[in-house]
Amino acid sequence: IVPLTPIDMPGYFLTAFGQAAALLDETDAPNLGLQFDAYHARIITGDVPAAWDRWGRLARHVQIAGTPGRHEPVKGEIDYPAFFDRLDSDGYTGWVSAEYRPAKRTSEGLGWLKPFRR
């Protein structure tokens, strides 16, 4: 499950990470987890590292995008190299994906990925 900002998804019921954590605790389903969307975490909480500290243990998937604007994750308010280092140091082994609105043509914006390839 993923909390979303009411700015991006008006009327969506799940708008807080604490709310998502409560739902996960209540259901206690082994096949259900948190999609930690760093873009939404930044807008909802204001602090991605603090949000990861508090709710990262519930994450089964991480999603990224630039903030503000939900463009390529290279410029903006989130230090993705530091966030990726944190995921590694915390032992996160799940998927990390990017969902964003390309600022220009998709092919023009994919250069951001090169430094993170392994």
Side-chain angles (χ1 to χ4, degrees):
I1 59 175
V2 59
L4 303 177
T5 70
I7 297 164
D8 289 304
M9 189 63 66
Y12 184 67
F13 81 101
L14 185 56
T15 59
F17 281 83
Q19 181 187 11
L23 288 169
L24 291 169
D25 287 344
E26 185 178 326
T27 58
D28 195 29
N31 62 337
L32 187 64
L34 177 69
Q35 178 176 302
F36 186 92
D37 188 311
Y39 165 86
H40 288 288
R42 172 69 177 118
I43 294 173
I44 292 169
T45 72
D47 188 338
V48 174
W52 179 258
D53 284 344
R54 187 156 185 198
W55 296 292
R57 65 182 169 75
L58 302 171
R60 300 294 176 268
H61 184 93
V62 171
Q63 194 160 279
I64 63 171
T67 306
R70 199 164 183 94
H71 298 300
E72 292 82 355
V74 290
K75 296 178 184 172
E77 301 166 345
I78 301 172
D79 180 352
Y80 279 113
F83 182 59
F84 295 153
D85 286 345
R86 179 63 187 281
L87 296 179
D88 287 342
S89 69
D90 285 354
Y92 176 75
T93 59
W95 289 98
V96 176
S97 66
E99 179 188 28
Y100 59 89
R101 295 179 204 99
K104 296 181 181 177
R105 293 176 44 85
T106 301
S107 58
E108 294 173 44
L110 291 176
W112 69 268
L113 186 57
K114 288 179 186 173
F116 302 107
R117 289 181 149 174
R118 291 188 182 173

